[in-house]
Amino acid sequence: MNAQAPTAYGQGLSSQARNLHWLLTNLVEEVPGIRSVAVVSSDGLLLLSSDPDRSQDEARPGERAGPRGSSADLATIVSGLGSLTNGAAKLMDGGAVKQTMITMDEGSLFVMSISDGSLLGVHATPDCDMNVIAYHMALFVGRAGHVLTPELRSELRKSMENAQ
């Protein structure tokens, strides 16, 4: 997707929203091992996804699909982990949570704070290079964090609702 020429999914969005879509697309396309990506607002709503139009019928073989495919499931998990880790950090007087990483037999999950409680979640393959993924997530956060204003979050939320 090109920020100047959005696809149907990005049709009618502001240049900042198109740029975030472009950054997300580049993250998925350029970093080996990434299965899916979700940007979630502080209230747990999906703002951006690497597979926004994917439905249950389009799930990959062996993959459990949610109401809108893996992006809805990933958003739910990212939001829950964000809440859990923030609660744990408060109980332990640990300060702000910057990143959470879970490694599993069949994949990895990374969650990174963006701004104002928004989170970036990445589901990756079991053989991914965790350092490379964490580095590129930090780049995304650095580029996206300062533009993810309440107005832009509202615009992205509406575009995700319209994509259903």
Side-chain angles (χ1 to χ4, degrees):
M1 176 166 33
N2 182 311
Q4 283 73 36
T7 63
Y9 176 65
Q11 197 73 25
L13 294 178
S14 68
S15 63
Q16 288 180 326
R18 289 192 312 268
N19 285 338
L20 283 177
H21 282 282
W22 182 81
L23 284 171
L24 184 107
T25 300
N26 278 350
L27 178 66
V28 173
E29 290 177 354
E30 293 180 8
V31 181
I34 290 182
R35 288 180 171 157
S36 61
V37 178
V39 175
V40 182
S41 67
S42 60
D43 53 359
L45 296 175
L46 184 62
L47 299 177
L48 282 172
S49 170
S50 60
D51 55 343
D53 299 322
R54 204 156 125 220
S55 68
Q56 232 168 343
D57 299 334
E58 296 170 341
R60 295 177 191 127
E63 181 180 80
R64 182 178 101 45
R68 289 187 37 225
S70 65
S71 61
D73 290 339
L74 182 58
T76 301
I77 294 164
V78 166
S79 178
L81 278 172
S83 180
L84 180 64
T85 55
N86 282 330
K90 284 180 186 174
L91 285 173
M92 294 189 259
D93 293 325
V97 176
K98 296 178 181 177
Q99 181 177 350
T100 303
M101 182 180 71
I102 299 172
T103 58
M104 303 166 280
D105 288 341
E106 298 301 321
S108 295
L109 177 63
F110 302 83
V111 179
M112 191 174 284
S113 298
I114 300 177
S115 64
D116 295 337
S118 296
L119 300 165
L120 171 64
V122 171
H123 179 213
T125 61
D127 61 343
C128 71
D129 185 330
M130 293 181 210
N131 291 325
V132 170
I133 290 182
Y135 172 77
H136 283 279
M137 287 177 70
L139 288 178
F140 180 93
V141 167
R143 293 172 182 152
H146 67 283
V147 298
L148 205 50
T149 61
E151 296 81 15
L152 184 56
R153 285 193 298 270
S154 177
E155 178 184 356
L156 292 169
R157 194 175 301 136
K158 287 176 186 171
S159 75
M160 289 303 293
E161 290 170 2
N162 293 336
Q164 288 183 343

